[in-house]
Amino acid sequence: MSKKIGFIGLGIMGKPMALNLLAKGYEVMVNDLNKEAVQSLIDAGAIAGDSAKIIGENSDVIITMLPASHHVQQVVLGENGVLSGAKKGAVIIDMSSITPVVSKELAATAEKQGVEMLDAPVSGGEPKAIDGTLAIMVGGKEEVFEQVKDVLYAVGAEVTLVGANGSGTTAKLANQVIVNLNIAAMSEALVLAAKAGIDVEKMYQAIRGGLAGSAVLDAKVPLILDRNFVAGGRIDINLKDITNVMDTAHSIGVPMPLSSQLLEIFHALKVDGKAADDHGGIVQYFEKLANVEVGRV
């Protein structure tokens, strides 16, 4: 592959994504505060970049996969940030889940320096990051999207250009509303079934082929029944996403009554020490209210 890829952010999602780029034959330079994660990528064939500036200097495409807006701003705009080293014609692909406002601001700043930018957040969680089948929603110029589409398809199976800069991050906000409210509704139903004394696993099998069936149901119910809350999508990261949803919605005049309730549920779980749990752990909020635990018979 001719493109040199820089990858900044080797967390739950970023590490397997970077590994997939290596597996597809790209030359990849990586950077993360977690030196163990960096070393695991070096062992797989990546090159270490000591700063975001060095990543920018040595890459045609720079991917950021970071927790929140301020992290992306710091990595892209900081003193030793990507833009301090990036060459004209380089493309930054921010695959983090941040606010559309920040995405647009970063793209405008990059363009002034001759650097293009796409916002390209993902959906599918850790399992799809590992197997390279993420859904990717992209915002930016069509010609730039076409230029780097091969890179996106190296980590995703469904890649859609939604519109101009900020469109990808907006689509991700909508995605997070649907996913997390789905988990919350599912959790409330599971707790009802458990408190009523029926076999929750059999109930799951009974309903999954009907209208209540969903990718969320199939992904999360087996884990809940096993009491497995190891994070594929952390509660605190989803709390950040729903906070971004509320801020964005209110700024454009969209009331979000269900999402506002969900945000309070996330805050309650964080206070209860569940911030690092998977968002399937939302069920624990409803279990506490009803004094019951969902599990296998």
Side-chain angles (χ1 to χ4, degrees):
M1 297 290 181
S2 58
K3 292 188 183 76
K4 293 183 178 180
I5 310 296
F7 204 109
I8 303 172
L10 304 173
I12 291 172
M13 300 292 286
K15 182 178 172 181
M17 291 165 69
L19 287 169
N20 279 326
L21 287 164
L22 284 169
K24 296 287 173 64
Y26 290 96
E27 181 181 317
V28 183
M29 180 178 280
V30 297
N31 178 273
D32 194 275
L33 295 175
N34 183 337
K35 299 309 174 190
E36 288 182 16
V38 171
Q39 187 58 52
S40 67
L41 265 295
I42 292 170
D43 293 343
I47 306 160
D50 291 339
S51 69
K53 180 179 182 179
I54 289 171
I55 295 278
E57 288 171 342
N58 291 280
S59 304
D60 303 307
V61 177
I62 303 99
I63 296 173
T64 51
M65 189 59 167
L66 299 161
S69 294
H70 67 275
H71 298 109
V72 181
Q73 288 170 312
Q74 182 181 354
V75 161
V76 174
L77 304 176
E79 188 177 343
N80 285 306
V82 171
L83 285 179
S84 68
K87 301 165 286 189
K88 285 189 176 181
V91 179
I92 299 170
I93 307 176
D94 177 40
M95 305 190 80
S96 320
S97 296
I98 66 173
T99 69
V101 170
V102 171
S103 287
K104 291 175 185 176
E105 289 173 351
L106 289 171
T109 302
E111 189 171 28
K112 289 175 185 174
Q113 295 187 212
V115 176
E116 298 292 349
M117 188 160 182
L118 300 175
D119 45 285
V122 305
S123 182
E126 186 182 17
K128 289 186 178 290
I130 291 170
D131 64 21
T133 60
L134 290 163
I136 305 176
M137 47 220 86
V138 187
K141 298 173 185 173
E142 187 171 1
E143 61 270 24
V144 178
F145 172 72
E146 292 295 333
Q147 182 185 334
V148 299
K149 194 163 61 172
D150 59 313
V151 176
L152 295 170
Y153 273 108
V155 296
E158 298 290 337
V159 182
T160 306
L161 179 63
V162 181
N165 289 105
S167 299
T169 42
T170 301
K172 180 60 189 285
L173 293 183
N175 178 86
Q176 294 303 79
V177 170
I178 294 167
V179 169
N180 286 294
L181 283 175
N182 197 334
I183 294 173
M186 176 193 78
S187 297
E188 197 168 75
L190 294 177
V191 167
L192 171 66
K195 192 71 182 259
I198 70 169
D199 186 322
V200 176
E201 186 172 13
K202 287 183 178 176
M203 182 201 77
Y204 161 60
Q205 294 298 337
I207 69 172
R208 64 188 295 262
L211 199 55
S214 70
V216 166
L217 194 75
D218 286 338
K220 300 301 180 183
V221 171
L223 296 176
I224 290 169
L225 290 172
D226 288 338
R227 309 305 295 170
N228 179 0
F229 300 122
V230 175
R234 288 170 56 118
I235 280 172
D236 55 1
I237 296 296
N238 283 278
L239 186 157
K240 175 264 300 181
D241 289 343
I242 300 303
T243 300
N244 288 343
V245 165
M246 298 308 301
D247 290 346
T248 302
H250 290 164
S251 72
I252 59 174
V254 179
M256 305 283 285
L258 295 178
S259 295
S260 65
Q261 181 67 24
L262 175 64
L263 184 58
E264 291 306 309
I265 290 171
F266 277 136
H267 277 294
L269 287 162
K270 183 180 178 181
V271 171
D272 202 27
K274 312 294 187 187
D277 284 2
D278 184 75
H279 54 164
I282 288 172
V283 72
Q284 296 167 105
Y285 171 85
F286 294 97
E287 289 174 334
K288 198 168 186 178
L289 290 179
N291 192 30
V292 69
E293 186 175 286
V294 177
R296 299 186 190 276
V297 173

